[in-house]
Amino acid sequence: MSKETKDIGTPASEAGGPGVNTGVAIIGFFLCFLAGVAVMWGYDQHRLHAGEISADTAASSTSWDDSESPVPISSKDPMWGKRDAPVTVVVFSDFQCPYCSRVEPTLQQVKDKYGPDKVRLVWKNNPLPFHQNAKPAAEAAQGAFALAGNDAFWKWHDTAFKNQASLNTDSYVKWAQDAGVKDVNAYKAGLDSHKWADKVDKDLNEGKTVGVQGTPSFFVNGVFINGAQPFDQFQKTIDAELGKAQAKIAAGTPKNRVYVEMSKENKKNAPAKPEEEEKEDDKTVFRVPVGNSPVLGSPNALVTIVEFSDFQCPFCSRVEPTLKGLRDKYGDKIRLVWKNEPLPFHPAAEPAAQAALEVRAEKGDKGFWDAHDKFFADQKDLMNGKDANIDAIVKIAGEAGASTDKVKKAINDHTHKKDIDADKDAADDFQASGTPHFFVNGRRLVGAQPQEKFEKIIDEEITKAQGLIAKGTRPTEVYDALIKDGKGAPPPEMKDVPKGLPANDPARGNNNAKVTIHEWSDFQCPFCGRVEPTVSQVMKDYGDKIKFVWHDLPLPMHPDAPLAAQAAREAFKQKGPSAFWSLHDKMFANQQKIKRDDLDGYAKELNLDMDKWKAALDGSTHTSEIEADKKAGNDDNITGTPAFLIVPGGSSQGYYISGAQDYSKFRKLIERALAESK
């Protein structure tokens, strides 16, 4: 898994004496102490019921300390879940790191599946030095926590990851206000004075002590998980820890001591240091096709290196001298194959890929590699502030020999989209989830690794290739022969279309479409909000080819979601699909404002019958419909949001997407479903 770690890839926080007077004093002090605790508890309860603080924030006012653990945590760290949950996941993360953002849907799955009784998440700041906005963002997040507690922190956290391109002081202040920070002046003053910098530095030092070398990094009851791993990896570890923790509790370990004891035990039993545990698998061979991609080197090469890369990625640039060193050393024994993987958070990457492919269309592979070298040599010029510098990209492509007019047209019209999409699909097929990502005769090597790591694999592969040639294999057929028994692309996950799905759920698109997309969603879920632009893009691009159906799945940790679901259903009942989707869009655009007063205001904007509206929401009229959606999803083991089934026409099964995946994931499976539709 490519991640931002080790600087190799973009990938990817007292006694008394025996006297009577002394005894009386102690008793008096103790009674005063109890009275003080009661007053503070009562004050928090008053604030809680008055709506001034959340239950989460009130709970956070109770001090606790698990600093005895090898991965120390305390009530000074933001926490989601219950203090005595049997499994603790300590998250070392960076608000600017794209791979930290990428793992957020997975962490949401963890929350959804296990809930706060079984799992708690504890946040530790680990801003990486090459992310200039990461440390200020970490301080700002700590400020939200310090002034308004856990609930405010996680709201701020969700908003920051949803808006990674907008990490700046103005945003921090707005997000803090939206999250519930009341004293904005104190927050601003804290940011200006770096009041919370010491906590961030403390987290950084703790991370180094426990072996964190990149982000995201996780400790599950002390068991190390490195990088933005898939949900299955977390589930496997959490399930194992749940079983062990329950045995500990049954044997008499207090629940609030489980984390300390389990993490100590796991550290003691760990077979290796964290950085040694996650050794890269460079032995498995994958059947990665060359296809029609640009090639540099002889067709008789003994070793083929397929690279998934991005012209804006700094780590892709960093590995270029290494690749040149390999070409100098091995000459015609190796060839390079380029696959475009422009990452969505690099605005210049896709235009540069279009431009480079246009150069290739006009000047062949040599022209492409000339443009390739120029893009990396002038990488700093590809951006103009936060936007792609199209003029610079066109100029570079022109210097490589292409018509600048044709390059501009290719960028504007996405002329080479089909080729880029094919490369993205291959990246998805072989889990090349970050850049740079290499397959050396099909053997995976992730990140901007040093030359000796490439050489070790190349030397082994040269020996194997020479053995095949000695037995009669033609040099031009060596690569295919070496990978023919390798692992192919795994089939996409499929699920049955639940038989209990209500037939009259809100839908949009063409009722006679070739493909139906079912979504289970929650109006308060930040990841459901995050995927909305992707859904809109899908609707725009595919038009009458798809039908989109909504299914409610309000999650228990989202207190406003059930009422929001009732509201949308009532809009649907009163004025049909248009009212439903209007309210749907309104609530996702204002996820912090979906309480009863907010919903009533939206209903008035839609000119709904307010008497019927009040009766429906007060009486939870649409519970049976919402529960039917939930049961249908749960019967299909869909328990988190957002979740999607992309169903080809005439099929009883659909392709399953879990979480707020990017557009390319949807496109790939929709195209597949369209091809299979009857």
Side-chain angles (χ1 to χ4, degrees), residues 476-491:
T476 55
E477 297 173 353
V478 163
Y479 179 66
D480 289 340
L482 286 170
I483 68 167
K484 70 180 178 67
D485 295 323
K487 291 180 67 174

Side-chain angles (χ1 to χ4, degrees), residues 196-329:
W196 302 291
D198 287 347
K199 175 62 171 68
V200 175
D201 291 339
K202 182 174 184 289
D203 286 355
L204 273 167
N205 290 331
E206 286 179 352
K208 292 175 183 176
T209 300
V210 300
V212 171
Q213 296 187 1
T215 56
S217 292
F218 307 89
F219 291 87
V220 182
N221 280 2
V223 177
F224 186 59
I225 294 180
N226 194 11
Q229 300 291 344
F231 174 70
D232 290 349
Q233 179 66 42
F234 284 88
Q235 184 177 19
K236 178 182 175 183
T237 307
I238 291 170
D239 287 348
E241 289 304 305
L242 274 175
K244 292 191 291 183
Q246 287 160 355
K248 281 275 187 191
I249 293 168
T253 301
K255 289 183 178 181
N256 64 4
R257 289 286 301 174
V258 165
Y259 170 66
V260 170
E261 299 304 323
M262 292 292 296
S263 56
K264 284 182 176 179
E265 189 175 293
N266 283 324
K267 180 176 175 60
K268 180 180 177 182
N269 295 333
K273 293 180 181 179
E275 62 268 24
E276 296 170 351
E277 289 177 353
E278 295 288 333
K279 290 187 177 178
E280 220 163 37
D281 172 18
D282 63 2
K283 298 297 184 185
T284 299
V285 175
F286 294 88
R287 204 163 61 248
V288 183
V290 172
N292 188 40
S293 297
V295 177
L296 178 62
S298 170
N300 296 323
L302 303 177
V303 176
T304 296
I305 302 174
V306 179
E307 177 186 10
F308 290 87
S309 193
D310 167 319
F311 287 115
Q312 192 183 341
C313 164
F315 298 97
C316 298
S317 177
R318 186 175 299 179
V319 82
E320 281 298 305
T322 299
L323 298 176
K324 183 179 184 304
L326 293 174
R327 297 199 304 275
D328 291 343
K329 177 173 181 176

Side-chain angles (χ1 to χ4, degrees), residues 30 46 50 181 188 192 202 208 252 275 355 556 591 603 607 624 654:
F30 183 65
H46 167 75
V181 172
K188 290 180 179 178
D192 291 341
K202 182 174 184 289
K208 292 175 183 176
E275 62 268 24
Q591 280 189 303
N607 294 316
S624 60

Side-chain angles (χ1 to χ4, degrees), residues 84-249:
D84 59 1
V87 175
T88 296
V89 182
V90 182
V91 182
F92 284 85
S93 193
D94 168 319
F95 285 108
Q96 195 177 352
C97 166
Y99 295 93
C100 297
S101 176
R102 185 171 297 180
V103 83
E104 283 296 309
T106 301
L107 296 179
Q108 185 63 45
Q109 282 184 274
V110 169
K111 293 178 182 179
D112 294 344
K113 179 172 178 63
Y114 295 100
D117 292 326
K118 292 182 178 178
V119 171
R120 65 171 171 166
L121 303 184
V122 177
W123 175 272
K124 293 282 189 180
N125 296 289
N126 200 79
L128 300 177
F130 44 86
H131 286 154
Q132 63 180 5
N133 296 323
K135 190 170 183 183
E139 293 180 26
Q142 279 301 136
F145 173 66
L147 294 175
N150 282 314
D151 190 53
F153 170 84
W154 291 107
K155 288 178 181 177
W156 195 101
H157 158 285
D158 291 348
T159 305
F161 275 123
K162 190 175 180 179
N163 297 277
Q164 273 189 314
S166 302
L167 297 177
N168 58 63
T169 301
D170 289 343
S171 294
Y172 304 154
V173 173
K174 181 180 185 304
W175 299 344
Q177 287 178 290
D178 291 344
V181 172
K182 303 293 186 186
D183 193 339
V184 177
N185 289 331
Y187 184 74
K188 290 180 179 178
L191 294 181
D192 291 341
S193 65
H194 298 282
K195 181 176 182 178
W196 302 291
D198 287 347
K199 175 62 171 68
V200 175
D201 291 339
K202 182 174 184 289
D203 286 355
L204 273 167
N205 290 331
E206 286 179 352
K208 292 175 183 176
T209 300
V210 300
V212 171
Q213 296 187 1
T215 56
S217 292
F218 307 89
F219 291 87
V220 182
N221 280 2
V223 177
F224 186 59
I225 294 180
N226 194 11
Q229 300 291 344
F231 174 70
D232 290 349
Q233 179 66 42
F234 284 88
Q235 184 177 19
K236 178 182 175 183
T237 307
I238 291 170
D239 287 348
E241 289 304 305
L242 274 175
K244 292 191 291 183
Q246 287 160 355
K248 281 275 187 191
I249 293 168

Side-chain angles (χ1 to χ4, degrees), residues 80 108 111-112 158 522-528 553-563 591 594 641:
W80 179 93
Q108 185 63 45
K111 293 178 182 179
D112 294 344
D158 291 348
D522 168 318
F523 287 110
Q524 196 178 355
C525 165
F527 299 99
C528 298
L553 185 57
L555 301 176
M557 72 284 299
H558 293 151
D560 298 330
L563 187 63
Q591 280 189 303
I594 55 171
T641 57

